[in-house]
Amino acid sequence: MTAIPHGRTRRTALASALCALVVTGTGLTGCSGGDPDAGTNGVGKLPAEKIQARSRAAADSAGTVRLSGNVVSNGRTYRLDMRLKSDGGTGSVTSQGVTFGLLRVGSQLYLKADTEFWNRADGKATSGGAADKLDGKYVKVPQGDPAYKRFSGFTDKNVLLDGLLTLHGTLATDGHHQQSGVRTIRITGDKGSGGTLDVSLEGTPYPLRLARAGGAGTLSFTDWGKDFALAQPEKSETVDYGKQLPAS
């Protein structure tokens, strides 16, 4: 038997290692027919409809999630950074250059913002110095106030996922990709015009990134199943304005 020179052996081993790195790190093929689904959860081999169903089931069963990115709704862009669970959520929303915090525990919704927010609500200044009193406080949002319906959905895991995790049109797969170091399979609606969704190929097939149809925002989903504290604010930090906020 002819001996293989040590140099060739080392080159072969190096090429194999580089190929494995490429396939594992990026999901790309091309290294002697490397399988991009090797070592994954297997959803990458499924039809797009089943990938979407598996992803949605995983999202529904997860107790918590962190959602961040942009959402365009009714002509207004909202920058979200929310942590959500079944009984509430907390985080921040930025719209038209103003950032405010939201906290919902059970059915009680609180809005926390600075003086600028309250003075700019509906483009009107809040009278009587009320804006200063609300600065940095958790303001109880009455359920009958228009702000409750407008903002509570940002703190509701089920409502948000129902509205967001939907692709429109004919579904198809669009190759293997990567999100924050995690291998994904991408599915599209109508070749991307109906939105795109990246689903994890590692562990549970959670949705990791969504580009909404029509340029209506891009969102990332992280911290699936990681619990976080959610509690009512201290009374000293809370303002209750009764049935209606001073500026909705």
Side-chain angles (χ1 to χ4, degrees), residues 37-44 54 183 185 199-206:
D37 291 300
T40 71
N41 55 26
V43 298
R54 293 277 185 92
R183 288 177 290 172
I185 181 70
V199 177
S200 177
L201 286 173
E202 301 178 17
T204 305
Y206 291 123

Side-chain angles (χ1 to χ4, degrees), residues 1 22 46 58-59 83 91 109 128 130 138 190 226:
M1 179 180 295
V22 169
L46 299 176
R83 300 194 71 179
L109 177 68
Y138 286 96
D190 280 348
K226 294 184 179 180

Side-chain angles (χ1 to χ4, degrees), residues 45-226:
K45 298 180 179 181
L46 299 176
E49 292 81 1
K50 289 190 176 181
I51 296 173
Q52 184 182 50
R54 293 277 185 92
S55 176
R56 184 54 192 271
D60 289 343
S61 64
T64 62
V65 64
R66 183 172 184 174
L67 181 154
S68 58
N70 296 320
V71 172
V72 180
S73 178
N74 297 321
R76 182 174 292 186
T77 299
Y78 297 92
R79 173 73 183 177
L80 308 180
D81 187 1
M82 301 296 302
R83 300 194 71 179
L84 309 170
K85 56 172 55 178
S86 59
D87 59 345
T90 183
S92 65
V93 179
T94 301
S95 178
Q96 297 182 325
V98 178
T99 299
F100 55 94
L102 291 174
L103 169 66
R104 185 176 61 84
V105 183
S107 61
Q108 183 59 64
L109 177 68
Y110 299 89
L111 194 156
K112 184 177 182 180
D114 60 14
T115 303
E116 181 184 7
F117 172 88
W118 295 108
N119 276 331
R120 288 181 60 178
D122 287 339
K124 301 175 183 178
T126 304
S127 62
D132 292 333
K133 297 178 182 178
L134 301 179
D135 181 34
K137 296 288 188 179
Y138 286 96
V139 179
K140 285 186 176 181
V141 182
Q143 293 190 31
D145 192 281
Y148 190 95
K149 182 177 181 180
R150 184 175 181 182
F151 295 134
S152 62
F154 288 138
T155 66
D156 192 312
K157 175 177 177 283
N158 293 332
V159 168
L160 271 179
L161 296 185
D162 283 343
L164 295 174
L165 292 180
T166 300
L167 300 179
H168 302 279
T170 303
L171 298 183
T173 56
D174 187 29
H176 292 70
H177 298 267
Q178 186 181 120
Q179 295 297 327
S180 299
V182 178
R183 288 177 290 172
T184 66
I185 181 70
R186 181 170 296 171
I187 56 175
T188 65
D190 280 348
K191 299 181 179 180
S193 63
T196 67
L197 181 67
D198 278 44
V199 177
S200 177
L201 286 173
E202 301 178 17
T204 305
Y206 291 123
L208 297 185
R209 182 183 182 274
L210 171 74
R212 302 181 71 203
T218 301
L219 293 159
S220 295
F221 305 90
T222 59
D223 294 347
W224 288 103
K226 294 184 179 180

